[in-house]
């Protein structure tokens, strides 16, 4: 039997209209669609009528399928001659474990294609009115994970390196470690008055944003029961939100 092909497709940050044309085509061609928790369900309706749907969502304290099981499923379906679309939130190669899936497919000689997606690290702050770079404020930004592999003995993040007040930090999957993140940055020299924004369900109709400082953001998040999924933005560019926030103003007008 001829092997199938796998598309590792980035679905974008939440708003279904932010998927790329090529990403949409991969959904339309799918015999099997394996999708994540943060993928908009609106995208599933573009799959063929015969398509098989497999939910592979990962929650903070529960994984529907472990990563090893997802890798195995991709291989099994492709070896059965199926066209498989692995639909992942954001971009498959930005903290999406797409590299692990690609490696598993390559190991079994299965053809695959990576279709980049709009990463939440850039799109979500933009929808909150926060440019990651701005002339005279921040000339660079860095994207970090807020949830490293729990099997690591020590953190691979050099917090001293990111204590520079001139650089914007974007942290994904970090709400559960928000207090520790703030403490590490302050301990390594970043001002406790540095603005911080937490953006919940960015680019979606239920987007909300909480703004504070490194000194108080963990307390504010706890008080408001702020939860995942969320993107954390740290840096002086957060102050620009007061003037150029646009998406949430649209949501208020629609109501």
């Amino acid at each position: 039997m001829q092997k199938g092909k796998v598309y590792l497709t980035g679905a974008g940050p939440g708003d279904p209209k932010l998927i790329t044309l090529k990403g949409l085509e991969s959904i339309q061609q799918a015999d099997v669609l394996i999708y994540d928790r943060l993928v908009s369900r609106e995208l599933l309706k573009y799959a063929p009528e015969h398509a098989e749907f497999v939910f592979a969502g990962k929650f903070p304290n529960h994984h529907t399928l472990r990563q090893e099981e997802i890798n195995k499923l991709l291989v099994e379906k492709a070896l059965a001659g199926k066209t498989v679309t692995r639909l992942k939130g954001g971009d498959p190669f930005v903290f999406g474990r797409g590299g692990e899936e690609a490696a598993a497919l390559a190991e079994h000689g299965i053809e695959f294609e990576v279709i980049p997606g709009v990463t939440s690290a850039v799109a979500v702050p933009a929808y909150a009115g926060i440019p990651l770079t701005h002339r005279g404020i921040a000339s660079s930004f860095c994207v970090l994970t807020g949830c490293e592999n729990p099997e690591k003995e020590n953190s691979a993040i050099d917090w001293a390196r990111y204590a520079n007040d001139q650089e914007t930090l974007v942290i994904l999957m970090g709400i559960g470690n928000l207090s520790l993140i703030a403490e590490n940055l302050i301990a390594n020299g970043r001002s406790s008055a540095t603005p911080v924004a937490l953006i919940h369900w960015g680019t979606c109709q239920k987007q909300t944003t909480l703004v504070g400082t490194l000194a108080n953001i963990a307390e504010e998040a706890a008080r408001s029961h702020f939860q995942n999924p969320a993107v954390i933005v740290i840096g002086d560019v957060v102050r620009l939100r007061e003037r150029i926030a646009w998406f949430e103003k649209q949501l208020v007008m629609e109501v």
Side-chain angles (χ1 to χ4, degrees):
M1 178 182 294
Q2 185 176 357
K3 296 178 183 177
K5 180 176 179 177
V6 176
Y7 293 95
L8 301 176
T9 300
D15 182 344
K17 293 182 180 180
L18 293 180
I19 194 170
T20 64
L21 290 175
K22 195 166 189 178
L24 189 59
E25 289 174 356
S26 75
I27 296 174
Q28 295 169 334
Q29 298 169 12
D31 296 316
V32 181
L33 193 64
I34 303 173
Y35 62 99
D36 283 344
R37 176 172 72 105
L38 301 183
V39 168
S40 171
R41 300 302 186 269
E42 286 292 310
L43 294 174
L44 304 185
K45 68 182 182 182
Y46 294 101
E49 290 185 3
H50 71 271
E52 174 188 357
F53 295 91
V54 180
F55 177 65
K58 296 177 181 177
F59 299 84
N61 298 312
H62 170 67
H63 292 179
T64 305
L65 294 175
R66 298 192 308 273
Q67 188 60 52
E68 295 76 13
E69 294 174 315
I70 295 173
N71 296 350
K72 181 179 179 181
L73 183 62
L74 291 171
V75 170
E76 288 178 349
K77 295 296 184 181
L79 290 178
K82 305 290 186 179
T83 296
V84 183
T85 294
R86 172 71 172 108
L87 199 56
K88 305 172 76 69
D91 181 274
F93 276 14
V94 179
F95 300 127
R97 304 190 72 171
E100 297 173 46
E101 295 171 0
L105 295 169
E107 183 180 348
H108 289 84
I110 295 169
E111 182 183 3
F112 65 90
E113 186 172 335
V114 179
I115 302 179
V118 178
T119 174
S120 61
V122 173
V124 169
Y127 265 56
I130 303 171
L132 298 184
T133 61
H134 188 278
R135 192 169 186 175
I137 299 177
S139 298
S140 62
F141 69 92
C142 182
V143 182
L144 303 173
T145 177
C147 183
E148 295 184 87
N149 186 340
E151 296 179 2
K152 288 181 179 179
E153 292 185 4
N154 299 299
S155 173
I157 298 176
D158 181 359
W159 291 106
R161 175 183 174 187
Y162 303 113
N164 175 8
D165 284 341
Q166 301 303 311
E167 184 170 53
T168 304
L169 298 184
V170 181
I171 302 178
L172 307 182
M173 306 172 291
I175 294 300
N177 292 321
L178 181 58
S179 180
L180 183 61
I181 290 168
E183 290 172 6
N184 279 329
L185 286 171
I186 294 172
N188 282 281
R190 193 136 192 178
S191 170
S192 61
T194 301
V196 181
L198 312 180
I199 309 157
H200 181 58
W201 281 112
T203 78
C204 298
Q205 292 298 305
K206 48 189 173 181
Q207 174 179 310
T208 57
T209 303
L210 177 66
V211 176
T213 65
L214 281 178
N216 67 15
I217 193 61
E219 182 179 344
E220 293 297 324
R223 180 181 296 114
S224 62
H225 304 288
F226 205 92
Q227 298 180 356
N228 278 309
V231 171
I232 304 170
V233 185
I234 301 171
D236 285 340
V237 290
V238 171
R239 302 185 198 278
L240 296 170
R241 168 178 161 77
E242 295 180 9
R243 283 180 285 164
I244 62 177
W246 60 275
F247 182 61
E248 287 161 48
K249 291 179 182 178
Q250 286 184 1
L251 295 180
V252 172
M253 292 176 63
E254 290 173 2
V255 173

